[in-house]
Amino acid sequence: MARKSLRFIAAALIIAYLALIPTYLSGRLERNYYNEWMQGEQEPFTGVITCWHIVGFKTYAGSLSSWLEKRAARVEKKHFGVFVTIEAMSVEDCMERLSKGERADIYSFPSGWCGEDMLLELTEQPEAVFLDGIERSGKSEDKQYAIPYVLSGYALLVNSQIAQARSVDSIPDDPTKDGWLLDAAQKMTFTQGKKKEQVYGICGDPVILASLGVKAQSAEFDAFKDKLAGSAVVDARAAGDLLRKLELGQGFVFQLSTITNYTDLVQYMGLDRQIEEGKIPYAMELMRQVVDEGPQENLAGLGGIPAIVLNEDPSFTSELPQKLYQALKKPRVPNTFSLYRMKESLRQAAVSAVSGDESGVSEFNRIFKELVNMP
């Protein structure tokens, strides 16, 4: 009896299904999704737009290329059939590809990477208020060729053990005042052990050291990591790596401070001079995306310093990026295209200046002033 009831119920359901499904399917089958798409607003351009993300420096943490990919995805979502690829590469790899005749449509590049003759003049620019007018650093002869969208900065690290042994006081609020930095570097320059192993007072990029007025025997950053330098002036990522190592119970104790509002750690975006005209509106939309308030706030998650003035200060997850953000609210940055042309002469003068050569100091100050004050 039960089996007959089940059969009856099943038969009734099948009949109902057969009666109703034609009505449901007719609506679906009559829809032509291709025609619906074709009848919609068509994009003037469909295809792939390439963006090379050329890595000259890294943010305090995380991946800037992943951040860029999210901005590209927003452009793709708004424009059916438009694809924006983000390809990260080193400066060296990029130059090799350019030498083979390859080009991208958009370049995300570090300060001093190229001359303005490689880029298209930006007759339209994103509506954003940049930090203390730093958009001028992407200009040449009063024409805008690139916009800055993220900065990083430099920090001073002091090996606590070496500082104590050499009677160096704790880092003051401003290490560049009253000769503290130079005095500390001189005190921490010595030899140790029977083999007279050299310990350097300071290490770092000669250009940054010269900009701080350092005149001392210096070394590469590896010397600080090997406990063969008392102090180091390094970029935020290098400082962050040492801090993260220390959190894991590795490395050694050191003091840390911001040191300068000068930075050449600036990432720009510009369009290739030969970009197809149909791609330009979408490339400009990506450019607007990277300096939009929301994405700029999100840079704090990477420890990156926003290039625009925000309505509210971003929330950083680490102390150093927070301090750098405050230090770089009025940044001094070199003109990216002038730096490209003067990079080698600047570095040579810096090496000479740090060694204590007075003619090197004069030459460095001349070039440096020209670079930083250039529109």
Side-chain angles (χ1 to χ4, degrees):
M1 185 70 178
R3 293 179 68 181
K4 285 184 178 181
S5 298
L6 287 172
R7 287 176 184 170
F8 176 78
I9 294 169
L13 289 172
I14 290 170
I15 291 168
Y17 173 79
L18 293 173
L20 295 173
I21 197 64
T23 305
Y24 171 78
L25 287 176
S26 62
R28 292 287 174 175
L29 293 173
E30 286 171 6
R31 285 187 69 182
N32 187 318
Y33 290 96
Y34 176 76
N35 285 339
E36 286 184 16
W37 174 71
M38 289 296 291
Q39 289 167 8
E41 185 177 343
Q42 294 301 291
E43 296 293 341
F45 165 84
T46 56
V48 178
I49 297 171
T50 57
C51 175
W52 287 0
H53 174 54
I54 303 150
V55 182
F57 69 94
K58 295 180 179 179
T59 49
Y60 178 80
S63 168
L64 192 55
S65 61
S66 296
W67 180 89
L68 280 172
E69 286 170 358
K70 291 177 182 177
R71 311 285 75 80
R74 294 290 297 272
V75 176
E76 292 176 338
K77 188 175 181 180
K78 289 176 64 177
H79 303 284
F80 189 86
V82 176
F83 304 93
V84 182
T85 64
I86 306 294
E87 188 175 357
M89 63 188 71
S90 66
V91 173
E92 294 75 21
D93 287 343
C94 177
M95 299 314 293
E96 183 179 349
R97 292 178 67 169
L98 287 171
S99 69
K100 294 177 181 177
E102 294 184 56
R103 310 276 292 208
D105 299 309
I106 308 168
Y107 301 104
S108 162
F109 63 92
S111 185
W113 173 69
C114 72
E116 67 275 17
D117 57 341
M118 187 168 178
L119 303 176
L120 186 71
E121 181 189 351
L122 302 175
T123 53
E124 293 182 27
Q125 292 149 43
E127 293 181 2
V129 180
F130 289 87
L131 291 176
D132 204 34
I134 62 167
E135 73 277 10
R136 294 192 303 270
S137 65
K139 283 186 174 184
S140 177
E141 296 183 353
D142 210 32
K143 294 178 181 179
Q144 196 82 41
Y145 289 94
I147 59 162
Y149 70 90
V150 63
L151 298 79
S152 188
Y154 291 93
L156 171 66
L157 314 180
V158 175
N159 183 308
S160 298
Q161 185 177 8
I162 294 177
Q164 184 177 9
R166 304 298 295 179
S167 300
V168 173
D169 295 333
S170 297
I171 303 176
D173 291 338
D174 186 350
T176 63
K177 277 189 175 180
D178 303 321
W180 184 92
L181 184 63
L182 185 57
D183 181 62
Q186 291 172 344
K187 284 181 177 178
M188 292 188 288
T189 301
F190 63 100
T191 57
Q192 63 182 6
K194 293 181 180 179
K195 294 184 179 180
K196 300 294 182 181
E197 188 175 36
Q198 181 66 53
V199 177
Y200 299 90
I202 196 166
C203 61
D205 186 321
V207 171
I208 306 303
L209 296 182
S211 73
L212 295 168
V214 171
K215 298 176 186 176
Q217 193 174 3
S218 62
E220 298 292 326
F221 179 48
D222 283 345
F224 184 80
K225 292 190 287 186
D226 294 336
K227 301 181 184 179
L228 293 175
S231 65
V233 179
V234 297
D235 66 82
R237 183 56 169 251
D241 287 344
L242 286 185
L243 285 169
R244 287 182 281 272
K245 197 173 180 181
L246 198 58
E247 289 172 358
L248 295 173
Q250 303 169 5
F252 54 90
V253 178
F254 56 87
Q255 302 172 51
L256 180 147
S257 171
T258 54
I259 185 74
T260 179
N261 70 336
Y262 170 78
T263 184
D264 52 7
L265 305 176
V266 184
Q267 196 78 10
Y268 294 84
M269 185 168 282
L271 310 186
D272 186 87
R273 184 176 287 273
Q274 299 176 19
I275 187 174
E276 294 175 29
E277 188 174 350
K279 295 181 178 182
I280 294 175
Y282 307 98
M284 289 303 301
E285 186 161 345
L286 178 64
M287 198 172 284
R288 286 190 290 272
Q289 273 284 327
V290 301
V291 292
D292 190 55
E293 177 116 359
Q296 284 281 301
E297 287 176 350
N298 292 339
L299 284 168
L302 306 176
I305 309 304
I308 70 167
V309 177
L310 300 173
N311 291 326
E312 295 182 4
D313 287 350
S315 299
F316 293 92
T317 57
S318 301
E319 185 180 3
L320 178 58
Q322 179 67 53
K323 288 182 175 181
L324 286 172
Y325 173 72
Q326 296 299 329
L328 293 173
K329 280 190 171 182
K330 290 185 177 294
R332 293 182 300 148
V333 301
N335 179 280
T336 181
F337 306 120
S338 299
L339 181 60
Y340 170 73
R341 288 185 285 271
M342 304 168 74
K343 196 183 305 182
E344 290 308 314
S345 57
L346 178 70
R347 180 160 293 275
Q348 290 174 10
V351 171
S352 179
V354 172
S355 72
D357 180 66
E358 289 304 322
S359 62
V361 172
S362 298
E363 179 65 2
F364 175 83
N365 289 338
R366 182 190 68 78
I367 298 172
F368 187 78
K369 184 177 180 181
E370 186 178 349
L371 280 172
V372 174
N373 292 336
M374 270 191 170

